[in-house]
Each structure stands twice: as C-alpha cells, then as structure tokens.
C-alpha cells in the first residue's frame, strides 16, 4: 500500500481516458468552443504579499508593507488563480483502514489526483485542502509543474499521517475546522469536491455543510470499506484488516454481533447520504475493493453519474 509520486503522476494517463467529465457534469459546467471547461472566475480572498513585478497594477501595491520592507510589495489574491475546483480530502486516522486491497486514504488520494489531472489538462487550476485531526494543509496548482509539486506534498503528508498513532475521536471538531476554513476561503461561488468516509459528522459539521451547499456547488465522494458498509460478512469466521502499518485478524463467528454491527453502519451511512442529498450535494460512493481509476471508469462505462 505504498504511495509514490511516480505512481500518482502515472494516473494522468487514466485521467486522459475519462472521456466523460464526471465532476464537471455534476457541477453543471459547460464546454467552450475550444474544448476547455468554462467556469466562473475564482473568488478567493487575500492570500499573501509578494514583491512587485513589472506589469503589476499600481493599485495592488501595499504602500504600508512596502515602506516597512524598503521595496515595492503587492497584494496577492486567491482569485487571481481562477480556481475551478476545490478539493477537500479527509486524511484522518479512520481513513487509514481497509479489509480489502486499498486503504480508504489511498482511494481518496487517487480519486483527487485523477480529477485533479483532468482539471489541469483542461487548463483549470485547483486548490486542495487536506484535513487531519491535528491540522489542515492547503495546496494550490495552476499547471502541471505545480501539480507535480503538489503530489510531492501529498505523498509526504500521506506517509506522515500513516505513521502517526491512531487517535480515535468521538467528536468532529477537526472536520468542522476544515469546512470552516473552506467557507472562509471561498468568497464567491466555487465548485467543491469533498472526499471522505463522512463518519465523523455531527450537528456542527452538518451546519457548515448546509452553508457550503447554499453558497457553492458541492460534490461528495464517499469512500467506504465493505466491512464498514455491511457489504461483506465474516462467514468463514476470520477476516484480515489493516490500518496501513500492521494487520490483524478479525474473528467474526458471532453472527448476531455481525448483523448488529452491519445494521448500525448502514443506518449511519444512509442517514449521511440522505442529509447530503437533501442539501443538494451531488453524491457517489467509492470502495476499497478496486483502484480509484477503475471505479471512475466503471461509472462512465455504466453511465453512472453522481446522484
């Protein structure tokens, strides 16, 4: 279950085969005559200061900062990047789990990279916010060179999160923190793609989701493991599970316990889906059974669009 920059870069060839623009269609974006996707201009707020460059408008010069630093500095805004898609990826400890071939975190990462490559190849820029229980990490890319650098950051962050001790949390403060950051960054209508298992949701996260959906176009890609969703049963009595660092065997001889566990999981996931759909979120499920690019291609082949 190793993640390498080379592997993520190679996903570009699969993104090129995504002839049906899954996320663009979900966000109701139209194609221009040139074949590229026409999107509303970005609307992010102030980002940072940078040194004045020839051709910069004098209206953007921050005279107070320039006076302190002894040279001309201008204000840089996120809206200059004309961001087309904002990705929010869940890298919490619960995403580093699997009973199948891939960790949930890997499926989330590869789905984002595939759709990110598609966006970059359509000459659109992206912003990616990665949420963890400890902190959030914000990355941007305007071209393929930037995106390669973004992949390096994502790989490093993935391995860092994977090596951290598992910290199960009974609250969703970190999830709400990430949604609040996106709410603060996105000042105008944006197209937001949330990739998570959506297990850590409560009234606070629901409030922020509702606000985001009222102001922006939101797509939710939910990553589930069959063991969590109740799609598999431990009929043989034993099952192998992993958190990415070690593996263990789950003994499931008690059919009553299995049924109760599956029932609770299904009720939670159905509730989350109903809630997201009621907010107007375009919705689709991914699983840890197969690679992300195969699942996205299957959606296209079987004409499965996000709900």
């Amino acid at each position: 279950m190793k993640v390498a920059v080379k592997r993520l870069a190679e996903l570009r060839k699969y993104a090129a085969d995504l002839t049906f623009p899954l996320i663009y269609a979900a966000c109701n974006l139209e194609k221009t005559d040139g074949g590229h996707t026409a999107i509303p201009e970005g609307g992010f707020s102030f980002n940072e200061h940078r040194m004045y460059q020839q051709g910069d408008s004098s209206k953007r010069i921050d005279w107070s900062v320039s006076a302190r630093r002894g040279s001309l500095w201008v204000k840089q805004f996120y809206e200059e990047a004309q961001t087309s898609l904002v990705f929010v990826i869940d890298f919490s400890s619960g995403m580093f789990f699997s009973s199948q071939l891939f960790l949930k975190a890997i499926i989330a990462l590869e789905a984002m990279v595939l759709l990110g490559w598609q966006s970059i190849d359509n000459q659109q820029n992206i912003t990616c916010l990665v949420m963890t229980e400890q902190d959030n990490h914000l990355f941007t890319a305007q071209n393929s060179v930037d995106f390669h650098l973004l992949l390096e950051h994502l790989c490093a962050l993935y391995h860092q999160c994977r090596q951290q001790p598992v910290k199960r949390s009974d609250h969703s403060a970190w999830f709400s923190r990430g949604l609040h950051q996106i709410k603060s960054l996105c000042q105008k209508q944006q197209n937001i793609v949330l990739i998570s298992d959506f297990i850590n949701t409560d009234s606070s996260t629901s409030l922020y989701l509702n606000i985001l959906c009222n102001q922006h176009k939101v797509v939710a890609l939910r990553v589930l493991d069959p063991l969590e969703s109740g799609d598999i049963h431990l009929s043989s009595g034993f099952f192998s599970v992993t958190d990415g660092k070690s593996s263990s065997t789950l003994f499931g001889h008690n059919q009553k316990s299995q049924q109760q566990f599956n029932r609770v999981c299904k009720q939670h996931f159905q509730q989350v889906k109903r809630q997201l759909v009621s907010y107007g979120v375009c919705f689709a499920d991914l699983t840890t059974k197969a690679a992300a690019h195969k699942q996205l291609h299957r959606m296209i082949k079987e004409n499965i669009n996000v709900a």
Side-chain angles (χ1 to χ4, degrees):
M1 295 186 182
K2 294 183 178 180
V3 173
V5 176
K6 182 179 179 180
R7 163 63 182 169
L8 297 180
E10 289 175 348
L11 291 177
R12 189 174 194 173
K13 62 184 179 183
Y14 297 113
D17 292 336
L18 294 176
T19 54
F20 181 78
L22 183 70
I23 298 302
Y24 292 152
C27 293
N28 296 320
L29 301 179
E30 298 178 354
K31 292 286 185 177
T32 64
D33 292 337
H36 299 303
T37 306
I39 64 167
E41 291 189 0
F44 281 7
S45 58
F46 171 75
N47 179 15
E48 61 183 359
H49 289 93
R50 65 168 172 80
M51 292 191 66
Y52 176 85
Q53 299 176 0
Q54 186 176 2
D56 285 338
S57 171
S58 60
K59 296 180 179 179
R60 294 172 52 199
I61 297 176
D62 190 321
W63 294 107
S64 60
V65 173
S66 298
R68 289 198 306 269
R69 299 186 179 182
S71 58
L72 292 179
W73 286 75
V74 298
K75 293 181 178 180
Q76 180 96 2
F77 295 89
Y78 278 111
E79 62 180 324
E80 293 177 330
Q82 296 183 340
T83 304
S84 60
L85 284 179
V86 180
F87 292 96
V88 183
I89 308 178
D90 182 354
F91 264 15
S92 63
S93 57
M95 293 292 287
F96 290 82
F97 168 81
S98 178
S99 64
Q100 302 294 311
L101 295 174
F102 302 94
L103 293 175
K104 291 190 290 183
I106 290 181
I107 297 298
L109 176 59
E110 292 195 353
M112 177 269 152
V113 172
L114 282 161
L115 298 170
W117 273 127
Q118 188 182 74
S119 184
I120 290 295
D121 288 340
N122 278 279
Q123 298 183 3
Q124 306 301 329
N125 308 320
I126 66 172
T127 290
C128 179
L129 178 73
V130 183
M131 301 185 300
T132 72
E133 281 117 336
Q134 288 73 38
D135 200 1
N136 296 331
H137 305 265
L138 186 67
F139 309 103
T140 60
Q142 301 183 31
N143 50 51
S144 59
V145 176
D146 289 347
F147 198 65
H148 271 282
L149 182 60
L150 186 151
L151 297 184
E152 293 179 7
H153 289 312
L154 289 178
C155 279
L157 183 58
Y158 168 88
H159 291 292
Q160 177 185 333
C161 293
R162 180 180 171 184
Q163 296 303 318
Q164 288 177 346
V166 175
K167 295 182 178 180
R168 301 296 179 186
S169 176
D170 59 356
H171 61 83
S172 56
W174 60 270
F175 204 128
S176 299
R177 183 179 68 237
L179 296 180
H180 176 71
Q181 185 172 353
I182 287 297
K183 174 181 174 295
S184 301
L185 287 174
C186 299
Q187 300 300 322
K188 297 181 182 179
Q189 188 179 75
Q190 290 290 317
N191 303 295
I192 302 172
V193 181
L194 302 176
I195 310 178
S196 171
D197 58 10
F198 294 97
I199 290 178
N200 291 281
T201 56
D202 60 8
S203 57
S204 179
T205 55
S206 298
L207 174 62
Y208 282 118
L209 278 171
N210 195 10
I211 294 174
L212 284 176
C213 294
N214 286 333
Q215 299 175 350
H216 310 282
K217 294 179 179 178
V218 180
V219 173
L221 296 180
R222 184 174 61 175
V223 185
L224 297 179
D225 186 85
L227 193 60
E228 297 172 318
S229 59
D231 293 336
I232 58 175
H233 301 279
L234 310 184
S235 56
S236 62
F238 297 92
F239 209 86
S240 178
V241 296
T242 179
D243 63 359
K245 292 178 289 186
S246 60
S247 298
S248 60
T249 300
L250 183 63
F251 187 38
H253 72 288
N254 191 322
Q255 292 294 322
K256 185 176 180 180
S257 297
Q258 287 186 48
Q259 293 171 1
Q260 182 178 5
F261 173 77
N262 291 339
R263 183 167 59 252
V264 171
C265 287
K266 284 186 176 181
Q267 287 176 350
H268 172 75
F269 292 136
Q270 288 172 359
Q271 179 181 359
V272 170
K273 182 174 181 178
R274 284 196 301 268
Q275 187 178 63
L276 291 173
V277 173
S278 70
Y279 292 158
V281 176
C282 298
F283 187 91
D285 277 336
L286 296 174
T287 177
T288 57
K289 285 183 177 181
H293 73 270
K294 292 183 178 180
Q295 297 185 64
L296 292 177
H297 279 88
R298 181 184 63 82
M299 291 181 186
I300 297 168
K301 184 177 180 181
E302 298 180 8
N303 197 27
I304 302 175
N305 197 4
V306 283

